[in-house]
Amino acid sequence: MAAASLLELRGLTRRYGTMTAVQPIDLAIRENDFFAILGPSGCGKTTLLRMIGGFVQPSDGYVLIGGRDVTRLPPDKRPTGMVFQNYGLFSHMTVRQNVAYGLRLRRRPRAEIGAEVERMLDLVHLSPYADRPAKDLSGGQKQRVALARALILKPKVLLLDEPLAALDLQLRKAMHQELLAIHEAIGGTFILVSHDQTEVMTLANRVAVMSGGRVAQEGSPTEIYDRPADPFVARFIGDANLLPARRTGGVILLGDGAPPIPSPGADAAVDVMLRPEALRLVAGHGSGLRAYIEQVVFQGSHVRVHCLAKQAGGAEMRVTATLGRDVLPAGSGQGAAVSITWAEGAPLVLPAGA
Amino acid sequence: MHKTMTPLIGMQALRGSRGPTRREVLGGMLAASTASLGLPRMARAADARISYVGWEGYDSAFTAGGFLEQNGAELDATYIAATEDIITRLRSGGMGTVDITSFNHLYNPLMGEAGLIAPVKTDQMTNFDKLLPQFRDMATEADGTCYGIPLTFSSCALLYNPAMVSAAPTSWKDFLAPEYKGKVALFSDALTNILVWAPVATGVADPTRLTKAQLDETVDLLITLKKEHVRAMPASLGDGAELLIQGEVAMIMGWEPMVIWCREKGVEVSIAKPEEGTWAFVDTLNIATDAPNADLDLSLIDHAISADAQAEFGNANLLGIVNAEAVGQLSPELQELYGFDNLDAYFEHAHIYPRMFPLEPEGDFVTYDQVLDGYDRFLRA
Amino acid sequence: MRMPDAERAQLRREGLKTALLMAPAVIVFIGLFVAPLAWFFVQSFWRNATFRVVPDFQFGNYATAFRDYGGVLLRTLGTGLEVGGITTVLAFFFAYAVRFALGRAGPLILVIALTTLFGGYVVKVYAWRSLLGLDGILNGALMAAGLTDAPVEALLFNAGAVTVTLTHYLLPLAILPLYGALADMDETVIAAARDSGASAPRTMFDIVLPQIRPALIASFAMSFLLAAGDYVTPALVGSPGNAMYGNFIQSQFGLRMNTPLGAAMSFSLLGCCLLILATVWLVMRRVLRAR
């Protein structure tokens, strides 16, 4: 894998005074990856991206692109292109001038620039707006100009810094499709920074989840969803029930009626992760974790059912299940007794944590 | 913005025959700005409001001794930056509202003939006879009518720093000596420069009566001076004193009070008596035509030349005074500065000229406008 | 579709309200600005006689303004251009450093700079005189350093001293619009330009300067106009031959009592200044255009 990687970060670190924004990070990103860096705000993801782009000098470590050390190069000397969250359009220029700017700096022949710009505007569906002043566009249009402006230079690595954060939900969804189509059409390595897990799941083929300046987990979206490395990742990616329990003699008992979960290892406190959509409810207290319905929340295509159950130790815990509307057991109003069941292999045992 | 807010502390002093008071130069920028905006000072209600348009500082002769209070009067003072300001004020609706002005005596006959100021009834004044003889005679010398009562005198003195010259200057021509190249200063007032340098350039006795050739000669000399000898043309008299204090110049066309200003800054300068003499400034008080309080105005002027008011005025402004009885009350420093022990000698050196340049063509003599054109030529050169 | 009467009446009321609200401003503008200016413009074609002006229509005053005072006019405009140019460039670098290079200390430095730079105009002039004078601090330092053994006279009372003094006076006025424009500018735009492959100087010319062009013109216009209209500084620190056009205008209105010529000279200076500003505007638009 190392041989195929296009971008390599080695011990990349950034400190501000005594505060460390980015802990030493090692990452390898392969050619043609749509790589996402996901994390809550303040986790250091934007700083990491800016170090790759050359806008922030690392305190330590290296950035290698195609095997070449670019750590000390200014942005204009790096084979990277950036799409900024607030676009950064040249407001005194037209759409066309914005897109053409990089090529003009490279002194390409006029005809070639014209053709390339047309191609790019076409790609982002902005041809009709080519000669409008950039400042007169809507948010979504501006973001597409920014994309075209970065893409026209055929960067080896395209850096996307929360590019869609300022757009409304509908527009964002549409842009997701366009981004995918563009990645499909022109290839190249995209690195997306986002705090939106849906966006990351939709777009990326590889994800690094960041927390507190370090990479908590790296993998494909399904790996991260299905096998989160710790409770933080589990909670950050999708919904998760994290049920506190204890492993005793290689077995975990969640509570009354729950089937024992085999878990090799020393006796310890653990968190058992169960995704809400992996749970089924059966009316009455039969086989399965015994619980009472606390609240049913209608969510359109599905319902969320919040239940209260008892831990093995006797303390109460809340368990949430997501069900299709039609699979909700009859008579399951508030206070109804239910049994919660899951498929064997659904529970994931994580070390107890935050 | 600074055009109106902080004007010309300097220029203020340059026009007319007089410089700023010390207050103005050393601290009174606010006062200066009010003055040049022409705003009257605030005053409380009173039976009579006497409107004075003239130099700042001169009103101390009015306010001395409680005369105003005793007569239920208050003073509205509008300070000027140039003598011409008085004319502008009177011409633009001032007549009928302005009481007292302070023209240089040169202007008096012209202003009287132009109907801007009214004759002064000297026989109704109690202090007129106490004036020093030079001023008593002068008040009526132009055409027999008195248009202004002298208030104060001083002159354009050649000041030098003894530490910076090899010998005391004896002539204005010493300004042209190679030794003092770049170490002399003129002050930039039209009337003063022409009246002082015309006798130097042409030997004329009355420089207010110049032929065109004499004027050109005078201006040419001034241009030579400016281009080749003068370090600076200070924008105000206070500024000129600064040049002496800071050692920028050795000699300057100056003014008697500068001697004391310099002394206060620890620099001793002397007054030379150039053989060509110099011009004596005599400022007078006049009653404007149609003055609203004409009778009170006359009493107030009479008060201003009384011995006590004169002494207070002289000591406050460091200026020469006109009342013989007040001389003894002046500080010894001032008595010496203006040579009160031999005033005839003072005025033999510092000439009092009877009237201004002609305003309309008069024989071969150049008009005031031509003189000012000549002075502009000097400034432009 | 016809508008209902009630609605139309409402619109009319709105229009009237707007007119009433604007009236004081319009009256003040016309009364204090347009009317006096128009009055002086009319007078600039009149003739001057002793102590009074005579209505007329002739261009003699304008002929005099350019013929007799043409040299002074050129020198005045030259000083204005020089001071305006230097001030604008310095102000730009200062504002740029405060905005982008000095980080969190920037605003503090701006405040310190502005409070020290603002201040009495005449006070500043005198401050420079004592700095540049024969026994001034600069000469003192030069002599202490052994660079000269006698004070240098060439520091004060010349055109250079005028430029230095006026630049110092105008700097804060020029900084403010530039800093305002730069503060509004998105740093991302600069980052985007660098990312597109522009070097730092290129970014300055292609992106930063065009985007703040109105502020550049405002700063230049302000310093140019104030410098070209100034006549106090040259009188205080300039060489005796440095009289500015403003000195002669002042003299026409005061000493000469020649309002017509003073007005004509004022309008001549105003016209030349506007011409220069228009030229500068056109040149800036050409040089700092989007490419």
Side-chain angles (χ1 to χ4, degrees):
Chain A
M1 175 173 133
S5 66
L6 174 74
L7 173 76
E8 244 185 285
L9 310 182
R10 289 191 194 154
L12 203 61
T13 312
R14 175 67 208 196
R15 288 180 290 269
Y16 292 99
T18 56
M19 208 266 294
T20 304
V22 176
Q23 309 272 3
I25 278 183
D26 295 288
L27 262 185
I29 297 174
R30 286 168 307 184
E31 195 147 10
N32 290 329
D33 264 353
F34 200 134
F35 192 94
I37 302 171
L38 178 67
S41 56
C43 72
K45 59 188 189 298
T46 294
T47 308
L48 181 65
L49 194 75
R50 291 181 152 258
M51 284 195 282
I52 299 172
F55 300 104
V56 171
Q57 271 299 306
S59 312
D60 225 330
Y62 299 92
V63 178
L64 285 79
I65 297 178
R68 192 162 72 103
D69 180 3
V70 299
T71 316
R72 299 289 151 201
L73 292 185
D76 48 315
K77 301 270 191 283
R78 294 193 184 200
T80 54
M82 184 117 164
V83 178
F84 298 89
Q85 181 174 356
N86 44 356
Y87 325 127
L89 294 193
F90 309 138
S91 56
H92 61 296
M93 297 184 182
T94 63
V95 169
R96 191 191 302 279
Q97 286 168 330
N98 264 276
V99 177
Y101 184 65
L103 290 184
R104 293 194 32 125
L105 286 174
R106 284 159 181 75
R107 304 196 179 282
R108 296 287 175 72
R110 190 172 281 271
E112 185 193 324
I113 295 178
E116 268 302 286
V117 170
E118 284 309 325
R119 205 171 72 81
M120 276 302 142
L121 290 177
D122 201 41
L123 184 71
V124 297
H125 309 305
L126 277 179
S127 300
Y129 302 91
D131 294 309
R132 293 246 187 121
K135 58 177 181 289
D136 291 352
L137 300 182
S138 72
Q141 290 165 338
K142 282 183 180 169
Q143 196 52 277
R144 279 184 276 181
V145 177
L147 196 59
R149 184 178 63 185
L151 285 173
I152 199 167
L153 300 175
K154 302 196 169 61
K156 284 191 176 145
V157 181
L158 181 72
L159 306 170
L160 300 140
D161 181 12
E162 307 243 16
L164 309 178
L167 306 183
D168 65 47
L169 183 64
Q170 287 303 322
L171 206 49
R172 203 152 64 217
K173 282 185 172 166
M175 283 298 290
H176 288 162
Q177 292 315 307
E178 284 198 33
L179 267 179
L180 279 178
I182 289 167
H183 187 235
E184 185 81 7
I186 63 170
T189 304
F190 287 20
I191 302 182
L192 170 75
V193 151
S194 177
H195 65 273
D196 178 351
Q197 45 116 350
T198 319
E199 182 166 293
V200 166
M201 292 292 155
T202 312
L203 295 176
N205 65 336
R206 285 198 73 76
V207 179
V209 182
M210 279 188 76
S211 161
R214 69 181 86 237
V215 174
Q217 186 173 6
E218 192 209 332
S220 71
T222 44
E223 269 166 27
I224 287 180
Y225 190 82
D226 292 341
R227 300 267 160 242
D230 60 30
F232 169 80
V233 176
R235 230 184 324 236
F236 198 76
I237 305 278
D239 286 331
N241 291 298
L242 287 167
L243 308 177
R246 217 186 145 68
R247 174 164 59 210
T248 317
V251 169
I252 296 166
L253 279 176
L254 270 182
D256 263 0
I261 302 165
S263 171
D267 292 0
V270 295
D271 278 332
V272 175
M273 185 199 81
L274 282 164
R275 295 280 181 199
E277 68 274 15
L279 303 180
R280 296 286 171 273
L281 298 185
V282 181
H285 282 168
S287 90
L289 180 62
R290 284 169 199 170
Y292 296 92
I293 292 178
E294 183 190 28
Q295 195 186 20
V296 179
V297 182
F298 175 61
Q299 294 211 309
S301 61
H302 59 277
V303 291
R304 289 169 69 79
V305 184
H306 300 293
C307 306
L308 282 176
K310 277 205 171 58
Q311 298 177 24
E316 278 201 332
M317 62 182 178
R318 179 170 294 127
V319 184
T320 301
T322 307
L323 304 172
R325 293 174 67 183
D326 46 346
V327 296
L328 195 63
S332 48
Q334 201 173 355
V338 289
S339 302
I340 304 173
T341 65
W342 51 81
E344 199 183 334
L348 181 73
V349 179
L350 301 172
Chain B
M1 184 180 88
H2 65 281
K3 297 285 121 56
T4 52
M5 295 299 290
T6 42
L8 305 199
I9 159 178
M11 290 306 180
Q12 142 147 20
L14 291 182
R15 310 294 178 211
S17 60
R18 162 227 174 254
T21 65
R22 219 154 20 135
R23 249 176 307 146
E24 242 172 82
V25 172
L26 300 178
M29 282 162 196
L30 193 65
S33 67
T34 321
S36 63
L37 285 173
L39 299 175
R41 287 157 132 197
M42 297 287 288
R44 298 181 310 276
D47 297 341
R49 311 186 68 84
I50 294 180
S51 157
Y52 162 70
V53 180
W55 295 112
E56 191 184 3
Y58 287 15
D59 36 347
S60 68
F62 301 138
T63 53
F67 175 88
L68 290 168
E69 291 81 353
Q70 286 152 27
N71 288 277
E74 278 196 11
L75 194 69
D76 283 337
T78 304
Y79 299 132
I80 56 169
T83 300
E84 282 68 20
D85 291 352
I86 307 176
I87 303 173
T88 309
R89 178 66 182 261
L90 291 173
R91 283 259 167 221
S92 55
M95 283 202 289
T97 63
V98 174
D99 283 295
I100 298 178
T101 61
S102 69
F103 279 108
N104 180 287
H105 80 96
L106 275 186
Y107 287 79
N108 286 347
L110 297 173
M111 296 300 112
E113 286 154 21
L116 294 183
I117 52 178
V120 185
K121 299 170 193 128
T122 52
D123 53 335
Q124 294 180 15
M125 297 174 74
T126 56
N127 291 314
F128 185 74
D129 292 336
K130 294 172 187 160
L131 290 185
L132 289 155
Q134 289 86 348
F135 303 108
R136 214 166 40 219
D137 298 347
M138 206 186 86
T140 54
E141 72 188 355
D143 65 348
T145 315
C146 174
Y147 284 107
I149 305 296
L151 172 74
T152 174
F153 74 91
S154 49
S155 73
C156 176
L158 197 173
L159 301 187
Y160 66 98
N161 184 340
M164 292 175 72
V165 297
S166 50
T170 55
S171 161
W172 288 108
K173 285 182 180 144
D174 287 344
F175 271 47
L176 296 156
E179 182 188 351
Y180 304 122
K181 202 176 171 67
K183 297 217 172 304
V184 298
L186 298 178
F187 79 73
S188 60
D189 174 59
L191 218 46
T192 314
N193 273 309
I194 300 291
L195 292 182
V196 169
W197 288 96
V200 180
T202 67
V204 66
D206 180 352
T208 62
R209 293 292 175 275
L210 293 178
T211 63
K212 183 78 178 67
Q214 286 170 325
L215 174 65
D216 289 346
E217 234 177 297
T218 307
V219 171
D220 289 343
L221 175 66
L222 280 168
I223 290 174
T224 309
L225 262 173
K226 180 176 99 168
K227 289 204 153 165
E228 289 166 28
H229 298 274
V230 166
R231 172 119 174 98
M233 288 181 45
S236 72
L237 293 161
D239 211 24
E242 284 296 307
L243 293 178
L244 283 170
I245 290 163
Q246 288 165 358
E248 297 279 351
V249 295
M251 288 194 276
I252 185 168
M253 232 174 101
W255 194 41
E256 280 101 349
M258 286 183 181
V259 173
I260 299 176
W261 300 345
C262 290
R263 187 172 298 154
E264 285 172 353
K265 291 285 182 71
V267 176
E268 278 301 326
V269 298
S270 307
I271 296 181
K273 299 278 179 193
E275 59 187 14
E276 301 88 351
T278 187
W279 176 37
F281 311 143
V282 179
D283 282 344
T284 65
L285 295 175
N286 331 87
I287 300 176
T289 305
D290 299 333
N293 308 291
D295 292 340
L296 189 56
D297 296 341
L298 186 64
S299 310
L300 186 58
I301 293 176
D302 199 19
H303 166 73
I305 58 168
S306 69
D308 289 348
Q310 280 275 297
E312 192 167 326
F313 166 86
N315 285 324
N317 292 285
L318 306 177
L319 287 173
I321 55 168
V322 296
N323 185 316
E325 290 173 12
V327 172
Q329 294 180 51
L330 283 186
S331 70
E333 199 175 32
L334 283 180
Q335 292 191 34
E336 192 206 329
L337 193 58
Y338 292 97
F340 279 104
D341 54 345
N342 188 355
L343 215 48
D344 283 336
Y346 180 92
F347 284 111
E348 221 158 276
H349 171 71
H351 306 292
I352 294 173
Y353 302 118
R355 55 185 288 150
M356 272 290 279
F357 295 97
L359 294 183
E360 305 291 346
E362 185 185 305
D364 287 339
F365 301 133
V366 290
T367 62
Y368 185 39
D369 212 43
Q370 285 173 298
V371 170
L372 293 177
D373 274 340
Y375 190 71
D376 258 13
R377 177 162 78 86
F378 157 68
L379 287 182
R380 285 200 304 266
Chain C
M1 203 170 82
R2 271 197 66 217
M3 204 185 277
D5 284 350
E7 222 168 280
R8 215 172 318 159
Q10 170 75 21
L11 271 183
R12 221 182 356 244
R13 269 199 304 279
E14 291 292 326
L16 192 66
K17 210 152 72 182
T18 313
L20 278 175
L21 282 172
M22 282 178 59
V26 171
I27 290 169
V28 167
F29 180 71
I30 291 178
L32 293 181
F33 189 73
V34 178
L37 218 56
W39 173 235
F40 278 117
F41 189 65
V42 169
Q43 283 209 25
S44 70
F45 299 100
W46 291 9
R47 262 181 319 105
N48 187 52
T50 312
F51 293 153
R52 65 200 165 88
V53 289
V54 182
D56 199 346
F57 184 75
Q58 44 96 28
F59 292 88
N61 296 321
Y62 285 95
T64 308
F66 285 104
R67 189 189 55 228
D68 290 359
Y69 298 93
V72 184
L73 182 59
L74 280 182
R75 187 173 62 225
T76 301
L77 295 173
T79 305
L81 279 173
E82 184 184 331
V83 172
I86 294 175
T87 307
T88 308
V89 169
L90 287 179
F92 171 75
F93 281 118
F94 181 84
Y96 190 85
V98 166
R99 171 67 177 88
F100 294 114
L102 298 175
R104 237 172 286 171
L108 183 70
I109 290 170
L110 181 71
V111 169
I112 293 173
L114 289 184
T115 45
T116 50
L117 284 174
F118 272 120
Y121 168 63
V122 177
V123 175
K124 279 188 183 178
V125 175
Y126 278 96
W128 276 107
R129 264 183 51 162
S130 51
L131 278 171
L132 300 175
L134 282 183
D135 71 344
I137 296 166
L138 198 55
N139 264 320
L142 287 177
M143 282 161 74
L147 292 172
T148 64
D149 26 328
V152 181
E153 282 186 17
L155 295 177
L156 191 58
F157 301 123
N158 55 39
V162 173
T163 303
V164 167
T165 307
L166 279 177
T167 302
H168 178 223
Y169 161 60
L170 294 168
L171 205 49
L173 300 176
I175 287 173
L176 280 181
L178 286 170
Y179 179 74
L182 287 171
D184 282 349
M185 202 174 151
D186 185 359
E187 271 174 277
T188 311
V189 176
I190 293 171
R194 298 301 308 276
D195 198 55
S196 294
S199 61
R202 266 257 69 88
T203 306
M204 192 78 94
F205 274 100
D206 289 354
I207 309 299
V208 178
L209 293 180
Q211 291 208 2
I212 61 161
R213 198 180 67 208
L216 278 175
I217 292 174
S219 286
F220 176 81
M222 187 148 51
S223 16
F224 167 73
L225 288 174
L226 286 174
D230 186 63
Y231 51 98
V232 180
T233 307
L236 289 173
V237 299
S239 79
N242 260 165
M244 298 274 264
Y245 207 64
N247 293 96
F248 292 97
I249 293 179
Q250 189 215 18
S251 150
Q252 291 302 337
F253 278 111
L255 183 64
R256 311 294 306 265
M257 288 195 290
N258 191 343
T259 317
L261 181 54
M265 288 173 74
S266 302
F267 281 103
S268 303
L269 181 60
L270 189 68
C272 290
C273 285
L274 290 179
L275 217 61
I276 286 180
L277 286 183
T279 311
V280 167
W281 185 78
L282 285 174
V283 168
M284 288 249 228
R285 202 175 64 160
R286 175 112 196 96
V287 173
L288 298 179
R289 68 180 195 277
R291 285 168 225 257

